[in-house]
């Protein structure tokens, strides 16, 4: 279990990933996978860049972590992401056996952890994920709001 200082430090890394996505014109969401205090995978949205609907930040980070670990099983790892995961990403966390999820801002339109569904803690599934929410939520939300305000020309 990480303490809150670790959560903030790793969320700052996820925010840096989100900022990189924004520089590319991608929706600014970033993710970092950490195992025993070491970053083993990072990612940001690449849907527009690579025209792939599955390339959310979490998926990119999970893929890199699995490659680095040489296993799809990411038991013991924590995923930090700037916004609450969608249904696809929440499902991927369960399938990857992520132990813990830490996210920033809630997503009332598509959140599948707390807002609309609770996929990662659904007892009908074969794995459940421990969740910490709201870490640097204001910063994560501000990054998204700024990105969309700029895109709308305001």
């Amino acid at each position: 279990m990480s303490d809150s200082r670790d959560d903030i430090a790793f969320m700052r890394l996820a925010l840096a990933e989100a900022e990189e996505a924004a520089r590319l014109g991608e929706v600014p969401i970033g993710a970092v996978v950490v195992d025993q205090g070491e970053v083993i995978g990072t990612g940001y949205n690449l849907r527009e860049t690579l025209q792939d609907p599955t390339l959310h930040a979490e998926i990119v980070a999970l893929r890199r972590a699995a490659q680095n670990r040489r296993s799809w099983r990411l038991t013991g790892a924590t995923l930090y992401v700037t916004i609450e995961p969608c249904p696809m990403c929440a499902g991927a966390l369960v399938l990857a056996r992520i132990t813990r999820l830490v996210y920033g801002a809630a997503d009332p339109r598509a959140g599948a952890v707390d807002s609309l569904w609770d996929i990662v803690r659904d007892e009908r599934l074969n794995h459940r994920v421990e969740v910490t929410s709201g870490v640097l939520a204001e910063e994560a939300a501000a990054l998204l709001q700024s990105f969309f305000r700029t895109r709308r020309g305001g």
Side-chain angles (χ1 to χ4, degrees), residues 13-144:
L13 294 177
L15 284 164
E17 292 290 314
E19 289 167 357
E20 184 61 29
R23 281 191 279 283
L24 294 173
E26 295 278 353
V27 175
I29 298 172
V32 175
V33 180
V34 175
D35 186 28
Q36 297 179 357
E38 178 185 349
V39 174
I40 61 170
T42 63
Y44 49 80
N45 276 3
L46 286 168
R47 287 188 321 172
E48 299 298 330
T49 302
L50 298 176
Q51 291 300 299
D52 183 335
T54 69
L55 291 182
H56 289 197
E58 299 96 320
I59 301 299
V60 174
L62 289 172
R63 286 178 178 170
R64 289 178 177 161
Q67 288 169 347
N68 286 331
R69 194 183 255 191
R70 292 187 173 91
S71 174
W72 62 265
R73 289 178 185 88
L74 298 175
T75 307
T78 299
L79 182 125
Y80 293 85
V81 64
T82 56
I83 193 166
E84 179 182 0
C86 73
M88 174 183 69
C89 293
L93 295 176
V94 171
L95 294 174
R97 310 298 194 268
I98 285 286
T99 297
R100 185 168 177 248
L101 164 67
V102 178
Y103 73 85
D107 184 353
R109 291 186 176 157
V113 176
D114 289 312
S115 295
L116 298 178
W117 299 280
D118 186 4
I119 292 171
V120 300
R121 292 173 289 217
D122 190 316
E123 292 186 5
R124 296 169 294 179
L125 300 175
N126 65 339
H127 177 76
R128 277 161 293 292
V129 179
E130 177 189 333
V131 177
T132 301
S133 61
V135 175
L136 299 181
E138 296 81 12
E139 291 179 39
L143 191 58
L144 283 165

